[in-house]
Amino acid sequence: MGKCRRNTGPLLIILAGVFWGSMGFFVRKLSSYGFSSVQIVTIRVTLAALLFSALLLIRNRPGFRISLRDLPLFLGLGFGSILFFTVCYFTAITMMPLSAAAILLYTSPIWIMLMSVLFLHEKLNSKKILALALAFAGCVLVSGISGDGIPLTGLLVGLGSGVGYGLYSILGTVALRRYSPYTVTAYTFLFAGAGSWLLCSPADMIRKFTAAPDLFSLLLLCGLTALVTAFVPFLCYTLGLRTVEASRAGILATIEPMVAAVIGILVFSEPLTVLSGLGICLIIAAVVLLNRKSKNKKDAPEAPVPLPSRSEDTYQTVSGGKQPGEE
């Protein structure tokens, strides 16, 4: 069972990146209804919160119990990561070319690697560093290089999206030592969804729903947006984090811009340049490199921090084996 989980972990991370790569398609569709970027974020995370809560209710109802001491952890996941990075990313898109915003978002593996070394005591090795360089170079080439100047505020917001995006891997790894993936994702999105309603101008958003010419089609689109760009990928990514190091997961997930580029070519007839093609090859190379077994023990990736022994649906905190909520 453990070996199977370890083998499927990278595949789950890559699958999450593939689903995230479709985000641009859904955002463009919802934008055509007049929703602002923050309102699209609210739709996405709120419906995802309902889906994750339903899954937790079916899968492990006692998983709704969490310790009060862990509230800051889930606040960090919901507000500091999911909500913060998404709002920063969509804001950056309005302040600079999409290519520049994408480059800044995909500085996330750098932040993940740095935070992993500082807080999770992971070790760097030559394979990780080379894969990181290949992945970031690939993201730059796939996104395109713009010569337009970027304002300082835009630069900081764009970098903030990368930091927030990377923070999920760090905080998620810590949370998974204490709770099941279903509890982690449910509470993360419940907090993110609650916070998003403070920013979205609810009255205006409700007016846009009531004014929609085909409400059923809009509701279906909203449901698919939450399912495809949030529920499925974040569940896959969180499950993958159980056996994949945070720094390695961050690099594997950079397959997302490659998928976004392919969707742009096939769906929106965007041109494929030589540089974009080269970038796609570099990202694939980084993913393949990370999944090759190292013959040199010194360069072999460190194993992720082992999680406590537990059954599939019964998770205990690492401190004294207490159940969540017990003091």
Side-chain angles (χ1 to χ4, degrees):
M1 175 72 76
K3 185 176 180 181
C4 180
R5 281 184 175 180
R6 189 171 298 279
N7 291 335
T8 58
L11 293 178
L12 289 170
I13 300 293
I14 293 171
L15 184 62
V18 170
F19 276 93
W20 278 325
S22 66
M23 194 182 306
F25 171 81
F26 290 97
V27 170
R28 288 188 180 184
K29 290 293 184 181
L30 285 172
S31 295
S32 67
Y33 284 89
F35 292 108
S36 68
S37 58
V38 175
Q39 289 171 341
I40 294 173
V41 170
T42 302
I43 293 170
R44 178 174 176 254
V45 298
T46 300
L47 292 180
L50 296 176
L51 290 172
F52 280 121
S53 297
L55 177 64
L56 181 60
L57 184 65
I58 296 170
R59 183 80 181 183
N60 181 23
R61 187 174 299 182
F64 278 106
R65 295 176 58 205
I66 62 172
S67 173
L68 290 178
R69 71 169 71 94
D70 291 322
L71 278 179
L73 177 60
F74 287 107
L75 284 170
L77 279 164
F79 294 165
S81 178
I82 300 301
L83 185 58
F84 176 74
F85 111 72
T86 311
V87 171
C88 280
Y89 181 51
F90 285 120
T91 301
I93 289 174
T94 66
M95 302 178 70
M96 66 186 75
L98 179 59
S99 59
I103 291 171
L104 294 174
L105 173 65
Y106 281 96
T107 59
S108 59
I110 299 174
W111 305 118
I112 292 174
M113 190 168 289
L114 292 175
M115 287 187 285
S116 296
V117 171
L118 290 174
F119 303 119
L120 300 181
H121 308 295
E122 292 183 9
K123 294 181 179 179
L124 293 177
N125 57 53
S126 58
K127 181 188 287 188
K128 282 185 188 177
I129 294 172
L130 177 58
L132 178 61
L134 288 172
F136 183 66
C139 290
V140 172
L141 293 177
V142 168
S143 300
I145 302 173
S146 173
D148 299 333
I150 300 175
L152 178 59
T153 304
L155 178 64
L156 293 176
V157 170
L159 289 174
S161 69
V163 173
Y165 188 38
L167 193 60
Y168 184 83
S169 294
I170 304 301
L171 296 180
T173 298
V174 175
L176 285 169
R177 297 175 187 173
R178 307 176 184 183
Y179 300 97
S180 77
Y182 311 105
T183 297
V184 172
T185 48
Y187 273 97
T188 294
F189 276 87
L190 282 170
F191 280 115
S196 69
W197 284 92
L198 302 176
L199 307 172
C200 71
S201 302
D204 177 63
M205 189 165 70
I206 292 172
R207 280 196 297 269
K208 290 172 181 175
F209 271 103
T210 57
D214 187 348
L215 182 59
F216 177 78
S217 296
L218 175 56
L219 293 176
L220 181 61
L221 177 61
C222 291
L224 287 174
T225 300
L227 181 68
V228 175
T229 73
F231 179 75
V232 172
F234 274 100
L235 181 59
C236 289
Y237 193 83
T238 306
L239 288 170
L241 280 177
R242 292 188 297 178
T243 57
V244 179
E245 284 180 304
S247 56
R248 186 181 178 209
I251 299 173
L252 288 172
T254 56
I255 198 170
E256 177 185 345
M258 183 196 78
V259 174
V262 171
I263 289 176
I265 294 165
L266 297 179
V267 178
F268 299 107
S269 301
E270 296 176 354
L272 175 63
T273 66
V274 174
L275 291 180
S276 294
L278 178 59
I280 290 174
C281 291
L282 290 177
I283 293 171
I284 293 175
V287 172
V288 171
L289 177 63
L290 278 179
N291 284 283
R292 285 187 61 189
K293 292 184 178 179
S294 178
K295 295 180 181 179
N296 186 348
K297 291 183 179 180
K298 291 176 67 178
D299 270 350
E302 296 290 318
V305 178
L307 301 182
S309 176
R310 64 196 74 178
S311 65
E312 183 177 356
D313 291 325
T314 304
Y315 280 66
Q316 295 179 337
T317 58
V318 291
S319 56
K322 294 180 180 179
Q323 292 288 349
E326 291 181 358
E327 298 298 335

